[in-house]
Amino acid sequence: MTLATFGAGCFWGVEYFFKQVDGVVNAKCGYMGGKDQFQTYEEVKTGTTGHAEVVQVEFDESIVSYEELLAVFWQNHNPTTLNKQGGDIGNQYRSAIFFHDKHQKDTAVRSKLDLAKSGKWGIKHIVTEIVPIQQFHPAEEYHQNYLEKNELPSCHISY
């Protein structure tokens, strides 16, 4: 199994979309990219810790490729809004790809460039960070499978 980690706004919707992908074994909500060792949701949501809400995806590369996961990532958030997704505002909602190895880094950079060249976003600049992984802090249990547990539809808009 292989890991990939993405930040694309509120992690509930991000988790939901990745769990729909054949070959994704698990998708877990959590926090990454901050300056402190461990944070709770209450601290992260203030926007002062530097952590992003992320989803760590465990996937079977014989079924789904990292490139296909990147396509899901790009399709389900707006990568041109800095520290904002819909009504969620703050650096905890930033668009970010946390790469686990050189292949993921190179693939993510190429994918971002291809998206920019595609013209899908017009002249808007894609602000998605592509940065090395840091320590992953799983979110509290009540955040895991939140939409499913609460019988809610996805909170993200596909682009």
Side-chain angles (χ1 to χ4, degrees):
M1 293 303 140
T2 305
L3 293 176
T5 307
F6 303 99
C10 173
F11 47 32
W12 299 336
V14 178
E15 175 197 45
Y16 171 82
F17 282 114
F18 280 114
K19 284 194 168 192
Q20 307 310 305
V21 176
D22 191 32
V24 169
V25 176
N26 193 23
K28 190 171 194 81
C29 294
Y31 315 108
M32 188 176 283
K35 57 186 178 252
D36 299 316
Q37 286 293 62
F38 178 74
Q39 301 298 318
T40 65
Y41 177 71
E42 293 302 315
E43 294 166 317
V44 171
K45 77 177 186 177
T46 67
T48 61
T49 69
H51 288 81
E53 288 192 13
V54 300
V55 173
Q56 192 155 82
V57 178
E58 184 179 3
F59 65 104
D60 182 340
E61 287 183 291
S62 70
I63 300 171
V64 64
S65 68
Y66 184 67
E67 291 84 351
E68 291 169 304
L69 295 180
L70 284 167
V72 171
F73 169 76
W74 294 123
Q75 183 179 352
N76 290 291
H77 81 295
N78 182 341
T80 70
T81 54
L82 185 63
N83 299 330
K84 180 180 189 295
Q85 287 299 312
D88 295 327
I89 300 171
N91 68 357
Q92 68 271 32
Y93 302 113
R94 67 188 178 269
S95 176
I97 299 168
F98 292 89
F99 60 85
H100 290 249
D101 58 31
K102 184 175 178 353
H103 166 72
Q104 286 188 0
K105 177 184 179 181
D106 294 346
T107 304
V109 168
R110 186 173 54 254
S111 177
K112 180 178 174 180
L113 289 172
D114 289 346
L115 180 63
K117 289 178 190 175
S118 77
K120 176 177 182 175
W121 295 100
I123 62 169
K124 293 180 183 175
H125 179 69
I126 296 173
V127 297
T128 304
E129 299 175 341
I130 300 174
V131 293
I133 61 162
Q134 294 181 6
Q135 184 173 356
F136 176 73
H137 302 285
E140 296 80 355
E141 183 54 37
Y142 71 92
H143 289 295
Q144 309 304 329
N145 300 304
Y146 184 87
L147 297 177
E148 184 180 314
K149 286 177 187 173
N150 293 283
E151 298 180 5
L152 297 170
S154 171
C155 56
H156 273 63
I157 298 170
S158 293
Y159 290 91

